[in-house]
Amino acid sequence: MESSSGTQFGRRLRELRQSRGLTLEELAEASGVSGRAIGDMERGRSLRPRRGTIAALAQGLGLDESIHADLLSIARASRPVAGPSGSVVPPHQLPRGVRDFVGRRAELDLLRDVAHRHLEDTDAPDRGRAVAPPVAVVCGSPGSGKTTLAIRLAEECGTSFTDGAFLVDMRGLDSHPLPVDDAVVRLLRAWGVGDLDVAQLNSEERLARYHAMAAELRAVVILDNAGGESQVRPLLPRTGRMLMVVTSRRTLAGLEGVQRVELGALSEPESASLLRAVVGAGRVDAEPEAARSVTELCGHLPLALRVAANWAATRSNWSLQRLATRLNDENRRLDLLSAGDLRVNSAFSLSYSRLAAGAARMFRLLSQVPGGDFSVPLAAVLADTAIPEAEDVLEELLEAGLLATHHEDRYRLHDLLCLYARSRHQLEDSPQESAANAARLRTWLLDTAVLAGRWYEPGYGAPAPDPLRLVALDSHQQALQWIKAESDNWSAAFHAAAADGEHAKVVEVAEAMHWFSDNWVSSGLWVDIYERAAEASASLGDPALEATHRNYLSWAYWACERRHDDAVAAAERALVLAGTAGDVIQEAWAHTYLGSLLSRVGDLSRAADSARRAMDLFAKADEINGYLQACNVAIDSLASADRTDEAIETYVEVMAVLADARNLDRIPSNVRDVTTLIAAYHVSFAYLAREDWRDLVDVLRPISGQFEALGWDKQEGKVHLYLARALTQLGELASATAELHRVLVLEGRVPPALVEEARSCLKALTEARSSSIGPDPTS
């Protein structure tokens, strides 16, 4: 049975062919698509023609852009509906491997043997996990297939490495490669460590946590596109069952004890196999000399071969000799893209020259994407087109081998192709057009970042419905997903705005991200953003605004980088600026941050007094959300300073404010929930110090499990440990035992001292059910 959409496409194709007076054979000759394939499409037997095929037919028919777009829209009707915009795959997930992988068998066999031998060694009872894990360095020229080989190895070894496979792009070719600490953070988050737990550790502690977890994992980790030894060496696993694969254009000769695999060009048989896999064995075997010419003109480089082969696959009526002739004619273009004596630009030029105008323009524009990967909506904005049309051209580029998938719903350009696209952009697009495209993309990225960030800010929440919005921002989760997925792109746009002196926009974006930033403390973004926002505020000559962003900067210095002195200096500067401007609220925030910072260095009484001063100022300004945060700082400082009566009085005060019906609409639900959680946790120290066991149970039981849901594992472990202590004193030994077992479940995610304390307490309970739970866990 023929599909109606397929029939509609076929009828339209036949109309266009006949209107131009072409036979099937003539259209086949002009387009490179076989006459049989065209006939199947016209009769509705081929219901989903590839976009590259449609582009070839459009060129053969001499269609203008509007008719070509109409043909694409008809074909699109048969496409399955895509998933919701805004869905984000975790950043550590491997990109999709190529299904027609060929060659590199010797390299794969060697690496697989190294991995399996190591697993056999570590699984041996007399050796355990003390054996140093293997590290493979896959090096080679651009486009030689290093990443593809690493992903293939991870796929083939997947059943042996049961904890999964993880890839981190080290961005070794960028002007600012990924710092080691950022790579550690990304892997820790991928392994389930909570964002706040990661942020509370300094760089050395994070690295230690990384190595402790790596020693326990049976996983493959790919450090892709490494720039040098110093970027990789700190990440090499010391013990355990991990397999680490590093890809780099350099040999990384300074790394010792690694298995080095250097990829050159493919052999002639391997190149032929790749052509056969993509183009079809029949066509390659029918023209062995022409196939050999194609592989030679591509320098036997996998990337160039795949680009050329994908081009030929959509033109099934063209001979390989015709392909070879095309490659030979165009091999002088852009010699700067040659890798040594490999003329990879020949294949790029050929595929590019056969793209439809819209796809060629999109390819050029993608060189302006500031980040490493991008989504369909971003591409649509850059090209100033609708999402369906953007999807079409991206898929056409994907089929032509000029684009790669990245984490399922995102795309990226290989660095060589990005260079090529940039060179075509400079040759074919005017500086005015380029500037307009960049400005349009920057505006969209920053405006969307503001909308997404403000989801978390009291008084804003969900943006107003807008049918023209290209991404879904209907929930906190969708906003968070967009901010994280596009962080490289919107932060680059932010930096560009700062460099261009767009002070108001810089401040607007930074302000919008303030309430969100707590949800991604370990992102590495916030210090830089609030430094620039403070500078922009100063340039605007607004002391109150500068005080606001100096306060945010104080938070970022401490929460993100543990720079205590810088954080204090920023808060003190904010206090002066707020006093000059007469801004009571920013004075209150400065006192709040100073109170928290003083508490960190043990100056507890001053910290408590500063927090109480902040509470009074917030109350004077009737700023209830700031008041609640200052209350939590005060409870923490007072309890730690043994001013337990004041701590409990402040807690009671907070609970009364939260329960007051007049405040129901003034306190957002997320602020209410976090305030309740943190206040209960902090006041538990006061009850613990006073040995008020029943009150301790009453405040901790309602929050049990909530810290774990947020990824705050250390706090969750302490909640269970304190509950166990109180329950033991109250004689509820079975419940106390259950709480201690909950601490043990968190092993590997909480400090070892907590786990050891729980074990000691369990032993004590077993030996003497009436004994105390043991040493004070707050000591």
Side-chain angles (χ1 to χ4, degrees):
M1 180 178 178
E2 293 184 345
S3 147
S4 60
S5 60
T7 300
Q8 183 182 5
F9 176 84
R11 288 175 178 169
R12 180 60 174 150
L13 178 59
R14 184 183 297 115
E15 289 173 3
L16 291 168
R17 176 176 62 80
Q18 291 176 344
S19 68
R20 283 152 177 77
L22 297 175
T23 65
L24 280 174
E25 292 74 16
E26 288 170 337
L27 178 54
E29 173 62 22
S31 65
V33 180
S34 72
R36 179 177 179 178
I38 297 171
D40 285 345
M41 283 183 269
E42 290 188 354
R43 289 187 291 273
R45 293 178 182 173
S46 177
L47 304 183
R48 296 189 62 202
R50 298 169 66 178
R51 277 151 293 278
T53 301
I54 297 173
L57 289 169
Q59 288 188 333
L61 290 165
L63 303 182
D64 60 31
E65 288 192 33
S66 63
I67 300 177
H68 181 194
D70 179 60
L71 200 61
L72 279 171
S73 66
I74 296 171
R76 190 187 308 125
S78 65
R79 182 187 304 164
V81 177
S85 175
S87 61
V88 176
V89 177
H92 55 272
Q93 180 171 315
L94 294 183
R96 189 169 66 217
V98 296
R99 298 302 95 190
D100 48 11
F101 184 92
V102 298
R104 306 297 193 198
R105 297 317 307 176
E107 293 88 344
L108 267 177
D109 289 344
L110 171 63
L111 294 172
R112 195 166 45 241
D113 183 57
V114 168
H116 289 157
R117 276 206 321 271
H118 175 68
L119 290 179
E120 291 172 1
D121 286 345
T122 53
D123 289 340
D126 60 333
R127 303 198 69 182
R129 279 169 284 180
V131 181
V135 175
V137 174
V138 180
C139 51
S141 61
S144 59
K146 300 179 292 294
T147 304
T148 301
L149 178 67
I151 292 172
R152 185 67 168 194
L153 175 67
E155 291 173 340
E156 292 192 1
C157 292
T159 56
S160 300
F161 291 89
T162 52
D163 290 320
F166 307 87
L167 183 145
V168 178
D169 184 357
M170 303 300 288
R171 304 203 307 261
L173 298 176
D174 290 6
S175 57
H176 300 288
L178 188 74
V180 171
D181 189 50
D182 286 7
V184 169
V185 167
R186 294 184 186 199
L187 285 167
L188 287 177
R189 290 203 306 254
W191 296 342
V193 180
D195 179 67
L196 187 61
D197 280 349
V198 172
Q200 288 178 338
L201 304 174
N202 61 34
S203 296
E204 292 76 15
E205 292 167 337
R206 288 171 184 165
L207 189 59
R209 183 77 175 272
Y210 162 82
H211 281 294
M213 295 191 71
E216 300 297 324
L217 288 175
R218 197 175 179 125
V220 180
V221 172
I222 301 172
L223 303 181
D224 192 37
N225 193 21
E229 291 88 344
S230 62
Q231 196 187 20
V232 171
R233 188 177 286 108
L235 301 173
L236 301 184
R238 299 163 184 167
T239 61
R241 298 184 175 95
M242 179 181 288
L243 169 63
M244 178 166 282
V245 183
V246 182
T247 73
S248 178
R249 292 189 179 184
R250 300 177 55 197
T251 60
L252 304 183
L255 297 181
E256 299 178 351
V258 302
Q259 177 66 60
R260 198 165 276 102
V261 176
E262 188 163 1
L263 300 185
L266 294 174
S267 67
E268 190 171 307
E270 287 174 330
S271 296
S273 295
L274 180 53
L275 272 184
R276 292 159 72 113
V278 181
V279 178
R283 293 175 67 189
V284 173
D285 292 343
E287 297 182 83
E289 291 303 319
R292 187 175 299 109
S293 295
V294 169
T295 60
E296 289 174 355
L297 288 165
C298 289
H300 298 284
L301 195 69
L303 176 63
L305 271 168
R306 188 169 293 279
V307 169
N310 282 332
W311 183 87
T314 60
R315 291 154 180 84
S316 53
N317 203 43
W318 279 32
S319 67
L320 291 183
Q321 183 56 54
R322 189 167 183 177
L323 171 60
T325 300
R326 287 275 183 170
L327 285 170
N328 193 56
D329 284 347
E330 297 176 355
N331 65 11
R332 293 183 179 275
R333 292 187 185 177
L334 297 171
D335 291 336
L336 61 94
L337 286 181
S338 296
D341 59 354
L342 305 180
R343 293 175 292 182
V344 298
N345 54 301
S346 302
F348 298 166
S349 299
L350 174 60
S351 287
Y352 175 75
S353 70
R354 302 300 291 180
L355 291 174
R361 176 173 177 267
M362 175 71 84
F363 178 70
R364 298 194 302 272
L365 293 179
L366 291 178
S367 66
Q368 292 185 274
V369 174
D373 59 89
F374 58 90
S375 62
V376 174
L378 186 150
V381 171
L382 187 57
D384 198 19
T385 188
I387 288 224
E389 284 70 25
E391 285 181 321
D392 278 337
V393 294
L394 292 176
E395 288 298 309
E396 183 176 341
L397 294 173
L398 191 67
E399 288 176 358
L402 296 174
L403 195 63
T405 59
H406 188 68
H407 301 155
E408 299 298 330
D409 63 341
R410 299 178 69 78
Y411 299 85
R412 72 176 302 152
L413 281 175
H414 185 281
D415 52 0
L416 275 182
L417 287 166
C418 188
L419 283 174
Y420 180 78
R422 188 172 298 133
S423 68
R424 301 312 310 172
H425 178 59
Q426 292 169 349
L427 284 170
E428 299 184 38
D429 301 315
S430 69
Q432 294 78 13
E433 182 182 1
S434 180
N437 295 333
R440 182 172 59 251
L441 180 60
R442 181 196 296 183
T443 298
W444 179 78
L445 284 167
L446 297 182
D447 287 350
T448 308
V450 168
L451 288 175
R454 280 182 172 159
W455 239 116
Y456 292 78
E457 184 174 351
Y460 283 92
D466 182 355
L468 299 180
R469 186 175 299 123
L470 300 183
V471 294
L473 295 175
D474 301 322
S475 68
H476 283 92
Q477 187 61 23
Q478 286 179 332
L480 180 144
Q481 287 176 334
W482 187 89
I483 291 171
K484 287 188 173 183
E486 298 291 0
S487 61
D488 284 350
N489 292 312
W490 71 255
S491 63
F494 175 87
H495 291 130
D500 287 351
E502 297 179 19
H503 304 311
K505 177 58 72 174
V506 166
V507 168
E508 181 186 18
V509 174
E511 179 65 44
M513 287 294 166
H514 168 57
W515 286 87
F516 168 80
S517 57
D518 278 323
N519 295 272
W520 199 20
V521 178
S522 63
S523 67
L525 294 170
W526 309 123
V527 166
D528 187 51
I529 281 179
Y530 289 112
E531 284 180 339
R532 291 174 185 270
E535 292 166 1
S537 302
S539 296
L540 291 170
D542 189 332
L545 192 61
E546 186 181 353
T548 300
H549 289 278
R550 295 285 174 193
N551 274 326
Y552 297 162
L553 181 57
S554 175
W555 167 84
Y557 277 141
W558 173 251
C560 304
E561 297 185 2
R562 292 297 185 264
R563 293 162 58 179
H564 183 273
D565 292 348
D566 288 336
V568 169
E572 289 176 340
R573 178 61 181 156
L575 193 59
V576 172
L577 288 164
T580 300
D583 191 323
V584 174
I585 290 178
Q586 290 309 317
E587 280 191 77
W589 278 116
H591 278 297
T592 301
Y593 291 128
L594 284 170
S596 180
L597 291 164
L598 289 167
S599 177
R600 300 290 181 182
V601 294
D603 195 348
L604 299 173
S605 288
R606 283 184 63 205
D609 293 342
S610 192
R612 291 295 313 187
R613 174 63 176 153
M615 289 172 60
D616 293 341
L617 289 169
F618 278 128
K620 177 181 177 181
D622 195 27
E623 170 48 52
I624 192 166
N625 294 298
Y627 172 82
L628 293 172
Q629 188 160 329
C631 285
N632 277 338
V633 174
I635 296 169
D636 182 22
S637 302
L638 290 165
S640 299
D642 291 328
R643 293 161 62 176
T644 56
D645 288 345
E646 294 174 77
I648 293 170
E649 288 171 6
T650 306
Y651 172 74
V652 172
E653 186 179 336
V654 169
M655 293 300 104
V657 169
L658 291 172
D660 192 330
R662 292 172 297 178
N663 296 328
L664 183 63
D665 296 329
R666 300 181 67 203
I667 305 173
S669 60
N670 60 320
V671 174
R672 181 181 298 275
D673 293 344
V674 170
T675 300
T676 302
L677 177 63
I678 300 300
Y681 179 73
H682 287 326
V683 82
S684 71
F685 290 89
Y687 288 127
L688 188 64
R690 290 163 56 120
E691 298 186 350
D692 289 345
W693 306 119
R694 178 50 60 192
D695 288 333
L696 182 60
V697 171
D698 289 344
V699 297
L700 289 184
R701 264 190 170 152
I703 66 172
S704 178
Q706 293 187 34
F707 281 118
E708 186 176 11
L710 294 171
W712 300 359
D713 298 322
K714 180 170 69 175
Q715 289 80 1
E716 186 67 32
K718 288 186 176 182
V719 167
H720 294 307
L721 200 56
Y722 297 168
L723 269 174
R725 182 186 178 107
L727 291 166
T728 298
Q729 296 296 331
L730 294 170
E732 300 177 32
L733 303 186
S735 296
T737 300
E739 294 298 331
L740 292 170
H741 281 294
R742 291 188 178 101
V743 179
L744 299 184
V745 169
L746 296 172
E747 185 172 10
R749 295 155 53 191
V750 299
L754 289 182
V755 177
E756 290 306 312
E757 178 69 18
R759 288 200 177 102
S760 175
C761 295
L762 280 170
K763 182 178 179 181
L765 283 176
T766 301
E767 293 175 351
R769 304 290 283 183
S770 62
S771 66
S772 170
I773 190 171
D776 188 339
T778 64
S779 62

